[in-house]
Amino acid sequence: MSILDRFLHPPAPHVEPVGTDAAARLAAIHASAFPRPWSTLDFERLLGERSVMTDGLFLGRNTKPSGFILSRIVLDEAEIITVAIAAEARGKGHARTLLTPHLDALSRRGVARVHLEVEEGNTPAIALYRRAGFRETGRREGYYHKADGTKVSAMTMALDL
């Protein structure tokens, strides 16, 4: 590949683990995606836990993540705690690019079953999870608080790896 090709063809999106140094960026992405965002300190604490695995999505030559997925592992099970893509990168299939290697990494760490919950009205996320093989396991009525003060239910889902 020539030097000119490197400038004309940016690297493909890639996923890699992120640590506490990414906390502020993850908090900013989370704030752009959810009405009740977590703080930088919340992310620093989570990212510092041994049981938490976090992967970032990197686009082009950007050294800061454009999305992330965060899971907590307990024995042979994991829970995907949150997934978020930066506003400017949404709607381009990046969540799938992020989810697939994260699930592979969980499997390599001995995880046999992955759980998550998703707002029942979040059609794109539900479609993503179903395409990945997750199945609905239950509901939590009035679980999420919307910005306008209303509450919506959460769908719980699971995937056997």
Side-chain angles (χ1 to χ4, degrees):
M1 177 180 280
S2 73
I3 292 175
L4 183 59
D5 284 337
R6 290 182 194 189
F7 287 105
L8 296 176
H9 305 289
H14 66 281
V15 175
E16 61 185 64
V18 294
T20 55
D21 58 325
R25 177 64 179 152
L26 302 191
I29 294 169
H30 196 267
S32 75
F34 297 101
R36 298 174 66 124
W38 300 346
S39 70
T40 298
L41 182 58
D42 293 330
F43 277 100
E44 286 174 348
R45 287 179 180 153
L46 279 167
L47 295 169
E49 290 183 26
R50 295 179 87 191
S51 62
V52 170
M53 188 175 93
T54 309
D55 288 318
L57 171 72
F58 295 84
L59 303 176
R61 291 179 183 81
N62 200 339
T63 59
K64 293 183 180 179
S66 294
F68 69 92
I69 184 168
L70 187 147
S71 295
R72 178 174 280 126
I73 301 168
V74 177
L75 300 175
D76 66 342
E77 295 192 330
E79 178 185 10
I80 294 175
I81 298 173
T82 190
V83 179
I85 303 291
E88 67 275 6
R90 288 184 199 136
K92 299 175 183 168
H94 294 310
R96 183 176 220 169
T97 301
L98 184 57
L99 179 62
T100 301
H102 187 77
L103 293 173
D104 289 343
L106 287 172
S107 179
R108 285 192 307 276
R109 288 187 60 177
V111 171
R113 187 170 176 99
V114 180
H115 303 271
L116 61 83
E117 58 197 27
V118 59
E119 183 180 309
E120 70 178 359
N122 190 341
T123 307
I126 293 169
L128 168 73
Y129 298 135
R130 284 188 174 145
R131 277 192 309 271
F134 282 85
R135 291 181 313 278
E136 184 176 348
T137 57
R139 256 186 177 35
R140 294 185 175 144
E141 299 299 324
Y143 186 77
Y144 290 111
H145 298 268
K146 302 290 279 182
D148 64 5
T150 60
K151 293 181 179 181
V152 294
S153 297
M155 176 188 301
T156 59
M157 302 180 88
L159 171 69
D160 292 325
L161 297 178

